[in-house]
């Protein structure tokens, strides 16, 4: 009975998945599901919170990370409320199933696997057979090829969507603007800079004094409307130049495909991401695009006279303040004394 049931199930699955309306219906369901989830404020809030928690953890969990994480989460939440983003994601992801099942050998591989599982279920060997079938699908050339092609096409479609990229760019600019204007972020950044500068100077009273003044100067620059406007414009320039460079979208699409194939092959996400990142770093098109984007950003910054006036004024104020500080004067005097003594 079990072998016959396996053959019947395999035949049924093959015929079912070969009916064009079935994959199309699954794709429509996925599209509608994503749209419905994105329309739910509670779902968006939960996703935003999870992203914020992840960012906070990734940044080390310090005061600055705690301040930045929730704002990144809020930015993701706003993206999910953007019809342009939702339409792009839902339509692209909804098309994955029909595209995947239409690739050569996929339906046959899945039908065979279904028949094997049905036979094992009736034989009572499912716990043993299930891992074997999973490994068989993971090693299937048809499945791997189909997954690679499908993910590459989907990533290319998303990355070539100018409306989606514009929405991402607008959100990134808004995020940077919000971070620069946030008092909590400013205070956390000031403390982080103070600690790092103090550490470089060996700590102690001198390190604390110099670190505090340098941190205040940096935060003062970032909150200067001239500087913050330049930085926001920098984000916009880098984004457009990078994604508009030749070869970038194919490279990123290939990276997405590599990650998918690694996951299908049983690798963990961290390893797959690390391998994809290494491949992107070694990609000449990505390297050239970064050069163009950074070069354009540097050119834009260097040509901004108002920005450099603000930087110049801040530098003068910082140096003046340091030279007038008794602790800095005493430390400088002691350092000069020590150096002269060594020379004599």
């Amino acid at each position: 009975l079990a072998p016959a049931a396996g053959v019947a199930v395999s035949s049924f699955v093959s015929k079912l998945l070969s009916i064009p309306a079935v994959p199309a219906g699954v794709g429509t369901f996925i599209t509608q599901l994503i749209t419905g989830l994105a329309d739910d404020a509670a779902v968006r809030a939960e996703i935003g919170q999870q992203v914020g928690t992840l960012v906070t953890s990734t940044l080390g969990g310090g005061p600055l990370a705690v301040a930045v994480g929730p704002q990144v989460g809020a930015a993701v939440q706003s993206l999910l409320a953007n019809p342009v983003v939702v339409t792009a994601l839902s339509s692209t992801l909804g098309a994955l199933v029909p595209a995947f099942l239409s690739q050569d050998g996929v339906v046959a591989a899945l039908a065979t696997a279904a028949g094997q599982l049905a036979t094992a279920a009736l034989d009572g060997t499912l716990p043993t057979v299930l891992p074997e079938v999973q490994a068989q699908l993971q090693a299937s050339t048809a499945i791997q090829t189909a997954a690679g092609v499908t993910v590459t096409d989907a990533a290319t479609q998303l990355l070539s969507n100018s409306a989606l990229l514009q929405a991402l760019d607008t959100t990134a600019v808004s995020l940077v603007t919000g971070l620069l204007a946030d008092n909590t972020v400013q205070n956390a950044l000031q403390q982080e800079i103070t600690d790092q500068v103090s550490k470089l100077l060996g700590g102690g009273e001198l390190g604390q004094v110099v670190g505090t003044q340098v941190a205040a100067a940096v935060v003062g620059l970032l909150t200067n409307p001239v500087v913050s406007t330049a930085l926001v414009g920098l984000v916009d320039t880098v984004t457009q130049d990078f994604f508009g460079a030749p070869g970038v979208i194919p490279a990123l699409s290939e990276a997405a495909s590599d990650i998918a194939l690694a996951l299908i092959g049983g690798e963990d996400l961290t390893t797959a991401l690390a391998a994809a990142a290494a491949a992107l770093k070694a990609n000449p098109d990505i390297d050239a695009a970064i050069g163009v984007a950074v070069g354009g950003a540097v050119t834009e910054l260097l040509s901004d006279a108002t920005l450099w006036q603000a930087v110049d004024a801040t530098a003068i104020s910082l140096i003046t303040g340091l030279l007038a500080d008794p602790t800095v004067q005493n430390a400088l005097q002691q350092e000069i004394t020590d150096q002269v003594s060594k020379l004599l």
Side-chain angles (χ1 to χ4, degrees), residues 192-291:
E192 181 68 21
I193 295 173
T194 299
D195 293 343
Q196 293 301 321
V197 172
S198 178
K199 186 183 298 183
L200 288 173
L201 295 177
E205 185 179 5
L206 176 63
Q208 186 63 34
V209 169
V210 176
T212 299
Q213 293 201 37
V214 171
V218 172
V219 172
L221 265 179
L222 294 178
T223 55
N224 184 319
V226 171
V227 178
S228 59
T229 299
L231 290 176
V232 168
L234 184 64
V235 173
D236 188 49
T237 298
V238 169
T239 301
Q240 292 184 14
D241 287 349
F242 178 74
F243 283 103
V248 168
I249 290 178
L252 294 176
S253 299
E254 183 179 348
S257 175
D258 290 342
I259 292 171
L261 290 176
L263 294 176
I264 290 174
E267 287 187 18
D268 62 271
L269 180 59
T270 301
T271 303
L273 289 174
L280 287 174
K281 287 180 182 179
N283 186 295
D285 289 327
I286 294 294
D287 188 54
I290 292 175

Side-chain angles (χ1 to χ4, degrees), residues 100 104-107 109-110 136-148 261 264:
F100 177 71
D104 291 339
V106 171
V107 170
L110 294 177
Q136 176 181 305
L137 288 174
Q138 289 175 330
S140 168
T141 302
I143 295 294
Q144 292 178 357
T145 301
L261 290 176
I264 290 174

Side-chain angles (χ1 to χ4, degrees), residues 24 75-76 84 93 104 109 134 145 157 185 187 197-198 204 298 323 328:
V76 172
V84 171
L93 295 179
D104 291 339
Q134 180 181 353
T145 301
Q157 183 178 337
V185 174
N187 293 336
V197 172
S198 178
V298 171
L323 293 177
V328 176

Side-chain angles (χ1 to χ4, degrees), residues 18 168 187 260 293:
S18 298
L168 294 175
N187 293 336

